[in-house]
Amino acid sequence: VRQTKSDWTWFRGSFKEVSETLASRGVCPVRPDSEPFLGRTLLVFHGKAHADRRRLESALFDKEALRSYELDILSPILESTFEELGEVGRDSDGMVRADLVPLTRSTLLRISTVLIGLDIDDKPESLAILASYLDYILVGTGLEWITGDLNEVLPVVLEYKRRYALEFVEPAVARRRQLIASWREGALDRKDLPLDVITLLLLHEEAIDDEALLRECILFLSASTRTTSSAVIHTISELNGWFDLHPNDWALRLDRDFLRRAGMEALRLHPPSPALIRNTTEDVALKTGRCIEAGHMVALDLVGANRDPEAFGADPDDFNPWRNAKTRQYGHAFGSGPHTCLGLPLVLGTYARDDDKVDGTLVRFLRAFYEAGIQSDPERPPQPAPTDQGGYETFPVQFEML
Ligand code: HEM
């Protein structure tokens, strides 16, 4: 059976209208084309099932876990990655060159494996294999937005879903089942069980089937890599232009607050998907008088809402880290309402929550790159990815200080 890509009605509204719609109980998230990857996950659950699963998985983002992902995992990996690049990535002219797409994705993958509970052995090959599968799985989780033929792409990405299941998820699930059995028999302390997606689901949702478990492992794999990688790269790209026009701000390239503002601004202009897709289960009557009727699949335009002059000022299409927005500077980049991104504090840090500041992965990457003297590579322009999600296929750079 040939599949055609799903069709939806676009809803282009103001920032407030999109907030109101996303918060409405009459809308239900849907992933019409990427259903074999994301169907029956947290992302598309609704009502009580969603609230229960979300509460359970929020444990992965408590203060201690956030600190550990950033300081115990990401920081040392960034250091060793730069060391390695300095040794093996140097060209004959002495300059170290790299592509930011695989570089950021494979670095983030180390957090993902801990968060999901995939046991990656010490062999660097295992991580490289997972990184190579990730590229295809990310296409699978974004099938709504591919520009190619769905019928050609689908069998390929499903094959990589199968390999991810067989080689990574199934062994991890088996190991965790054993650990849980040991704990139940009294041979292991509760505190010695790992804190990860797989363990949480096996412990608290005993009836969960293997396919649902696999898809949750796909959700966390894709949610924790593509979005952050793309945010880092868009920020670097936008800052290149900003520093050309505002040379005085170059002095702030290691400043946490400036970089955080720049990251939020890049996210506003380049949200990870052009729209969030929802089925309307009842009429959604908005305060402005507009109504989205029940029984439709609507794509809520994030790019437009994030450039609403009412919320973001008179020059909403421009990148301006110093923007004085009336609302959160990143707009709807992390969604809004009950499905607001669970990984937000990991990306943007815990500034507002406590004194023990964790920078967030976005600022941590940006600082590391500017410390290493990142520059665009004049010989190799970036290539856009073949999707309407707006990311890059390649983003070559060079590092002056390595
Ligand atoms: C710059 C980085 C990120 C951006 C822009 C982003 C964006 C989003 C958006 C827009 C949604 C809402 C989707 C919808 O309503 O249909 C979402 C949900 C989600 N994100 Fe993120 N995300 C980022 C990073 C992360 C990270 C690092 C993780 C995990 C480690 C993560 C985990 C999730 C999860 C689990 C959900 C589903 C929440 C729910 O449905 O209740 N995200 N994200």
Side-chain angles (χ1 to χ4, degrees):
V1 180
R2 279 187 73 79
Q3 302 222 14
T4 48
K5 270 180 55 190
S6 306
D7 210 5
W8 45 71
T9 313
W10 278 88
F11 176 78
R12 301 188 196 279
S14 66
F15 180 81
K16 279 190 182 155
E17 283 175 327
V18 171
S19 305
E20 206 186 331
T21 309
L22 285 169
S24 156
R25 71 189 172 103
V27 299
C28 194
V30 56
R31 292 299 185 118
D33 300 311
S34 54
E35 204 275 339
F37 291 81
L38 294 171
R40 296 201 287 137
T41 63
L42 174 72
L43 199 65
V44 293
F45 275 180
H46 193 50
K48 183 172 179 328
H50 174 256
D52 289 348
R53 172 76 63 91
R54 193 170 161 107
R55 198 172 317 112
L56 180 66
E57 293 178 337
S58 296
L60 300 165
F61 301 95
D62 72 13
K63 198 171 138 187
E64 190 40 44
L66 290 173
R67 207 200 59 81
S68 171
Y69 300 137
E70 188 175 323
L71 302 181
D72 303 339
I73 306 178
L74 183 58
S75 277
I77 287 168
L78 277 170
E79 260 174 51
S80 62
T81 303
F82 284 135
E83 250 170 54
E84 226 173 89
L85 271 179
E87 282 161 23
V88 300
R90 200 171 299 279
D91 284 343
S92 50
D93 62 359
M95 187 65 94
V96 170
R97 295 196 170 79
D99 180 349
L100 280 197
V101 176
L103 182 72
T104 48
R105 282 186 186 175
S106 59
T107 311
L108 287 161
L109 206 47
R110 307 287 275 274
I111 299 181
S112 320
T113 54
V114 173
L115 203 115
I116 298 168
L118 305 175
D119 305 305
I120 299 292
D121 51 39
D122 286 339
K123 290 189 226 116
E125 302 92 87
S126 306
L127 205 67
I129 293 172
L130 182 58
S132 70
Y133 295 179
L134 172 68
D135 290 342
Y136 293 92
I137 289 173
L138 291 180
V139 177
T141 54
L143 285 173
E144 286 77 13
W145 306 109
I146 56 165
T147 49
D149 181 347
L150 186 62
N151 288 287
E152 278 173 26
V153 174
L154 191 58
V156 179
V157 291
L158 284 174
E159 168 57 18
Y160 283 91
K161 173 187 168 188
R162 195 187 64 80
R163 292 188 195 180
Y164 174 58
L166 194 70
E167 294 167 39
F168 293 96
V169 177
E170 286 170 20
V173 171
R175 184 157 172 267
R176 275 151 188 74
R177 281 195 202 282
Q178 268 176 7
L179 290 174
I180 291 172
S182 304
W183 163 62
R184 291 210 164 114
E185 287 157 11
L188 195 74
D189 251 24
R190 177 75 170 83
K191 66 170 177 31
D192 293 327
L193 288 179
L195 175 62
D196 52 45
V197 174
I198 298 177
T199 309
L200 280 177
L201 290 178
L202 290 176
L203 274 173
H204 299 278
E205 294 192 21
E206 286 179 34
I208 194 166
D209 60 78
D210 291 349
E211 178 67 16
L213 196 52
L214 167 61
R215 290 184 189 176
E216 201 73 3
C217 295
I218 291 178
L219 165 63
F220 276 84
L221 182 76
S222 75
S224 60
T225 49
R226 185 187 70 86
T227 47
T228 308
S229 155
S230 149
V232 171
I233 297 173
H234 280 303
T235 312
I236 299 270
S237 168
E238 291 287 2
L239 278 175
N240 281 343
W242 179 262
F243 289 138
D244 284 347
L245 294 174
H246 304 85
N248 286 344
D249 279 351
W250 176 244
L252 295 175
R253 68 195 176 283
L254 299 181
D255 182 281
R256 294 180 162 84
D257 292 318
F258 174 75
L259 290 176
R260 189 161 188 271
R261 283 180 155 272
M264 294 195 292
E265 183 70 351
L267 276 160
R268 179 182 71 81
L269 292 174
H270 310 280
S273 285
L276 295 178
I277 307 173
R278 296 293 192 259
N279 276 333
T280 50
T281 50
E282 33 185 276
D283 285 359
V284 180
L286 299 171
K287 286 186 195 132
T288 51
R290 292 175 78 186
C291 179
I292 311 175
E293 282 174 18
H296 287 277
M297 181 154 61
V298 285
L300 304 167
D301 173 20
L302 293 189
V303 177
N306 279 0
R307 294 169 188 231
D308 173 358
E310 167 101 4
F312 300 102
D315 54 355
D317 293 334
D318 295 350
F319 172 84
N320 177 3
W322 301 117
R323 176 174 305 282
N324 197 1
K326 281 194 194 147
T327 178
R328 46 195 192 234
Q329 194 176 350
Y330 51 78
H332 288 314
F334 291 95
S336 193
H339 288 271
T340 301
C341 178
L342 208 53
L344 196 160
L346 175 59
V347 181
L348 290 185
T350 51
Y351 272 49
R353 286 210 303 215
D354 57 56
D355 300 322
D356 176 21
K357 280 185 186 175
V358 176
D359 288 336
T361 48
L362 181 52
V363 166
R364 189 134 314 242
F365 264 108
L366 295 170
R367 283 190 53 141
F369 286 150
Y370 283 110
E371 268 169 8
I374 194 168
Q375 297 173 339
S376 38
D377 182 340
E379 304 291 319
R380 296 180 301 159
Q383 299 299 320
T387 154
D388 290 332
Q389 281 171 316
Y392 289 98
E393 182 96 334
T394 64
F395 196 94
V397 293
Q398 45 195 36
F399 293 102
E400 206 185 22
M401 317 283 273
L402 291 184

